[in-house]
Amino acid sequence: MTSATVPSSSATVRVPAKVNLELLVGPVREDGYHNLSTVYHAVSLFDEVTVSFADEWGLEVCGPRAEGVPTDGSNLAARAAQLLARAGGVDEPVHIRIRKDIPVSGGMAGGSADAAAALVACDHLWGLAMTREELEEIAADLGSDVPFLLAGGTAMGSGRGEVLAPVLARGTYHWVFALSDGGLSTPAVYAECDRLREGREVPEPTPTPAMMTALRSGDARALGRALTNDLQPASIRLMPELGDILDAGMEYGALGGVVSGSGPTVAFLVEDTEAALDLAVSLTASGAVQDVRRATGPAHGAHLVAGPRPS
Ligand code: C5P
């Protein structure tokens, strides 16, 4: 779709999913969150969010992964639009339509992605022209991952994940994602992680040289070896079949495998497009995996694909 083919009373934003290449989790903080040192990487699985002027606020979800997404005010995209309206002093209701292709409760930040997309779309529709910093501040209030979904690419995250810093990363990476039928609750996975580490001294997390070197060199093999996720043991404890899926992917030739965020999606890094196709076929044939998706990264953050031209 181009700007010319949609009515100027709506704006459509495309937004990617994310995987954490490195997710190091510090001790639990007083506010219940954990300090993180993470490397976010946006990948080419996309949701599309369209906002249109309407008589009253509304939200609908369509597309291949619409099932299980809330359509009431608890949807993060709806909260994003309301928060932006308040910040911008806007009193113009919008209807939000989410075309969902990112797995729901899959550890790929699908809900956060929709919130980031809603911010960009509404900012455009309402003609607010907020700065990136202003949008990032609202994004951080919505969730730890939301600022990154505005930015996209590959970036370091610290604080509870909302503080972004650039990272020197070369190359395009090929991924195969093994999706699970059920979802995992992020708070439940963090709580299980705390439980598993009880009585142990947990250091403040800092980026590892292995990950930084791999990204700087653009070496997929080194990156495959460096993939790390401190939440992985907790996700596997809550969903033991994830361990079997990781084993299967490595056996079928992946360069590396890691649970994505809090899971249950498992991300496998492979050499190229052909290797991605081979691994996707093998994982599907093994019966160990319900659904697979191929993608590449890094991908751009939330960006307008259709809408009114700026005046
Ligand atoms: O920030 P967000 O709303 O996405 O976080 C969801 C939940 O994940 C939090 O309520 C918390 O339980 C957990 N979390 C955490 N530490 C972080 C990020 C998330 O404990 N850095």
Side-chain angles (χ1 to χ4, degrees), residues 32-34 36 142-144 160-161 186-187 190:
Y33 283 91
H34 299 72
L36 305 180
L142 289 159
S144 311
R160 58 184 169 83
T186 303
Y190 273 98

Side-chain angles (χ1 to χ4, degrees), residues 205-249:
T206 52
T208 65
M211 174 55 68
M212 294 302 112
T213 307
L215 287 172
R216 225 176 9 248
S217 64
D219 179 347
R221 284 181 182 277
L223 181 61
R225 285 193 297 274
L227 296 173
T228 321
N229 182 357
D230 281 352
L231 292 178
Q232 185 164 301
S235 308
I236 294 177
R237 176 62 77 96
L238 295 174
M239 226 190 232
E241 60 269 34
L242 299 184
D244 302 331
I245 293 172
L246 278 162
D247 289 346

Side-chain angles (χ1 to χ4, degrees), residues 132-146:
R132 173 48 63 95
E133 288 73 23
E134 287 170 325
L135 286 182
E136 265 180 17
E137 208 171 299
I138 298 171
D141 281 345
L142 289 159
S144 311
D145 294 336
V146 184

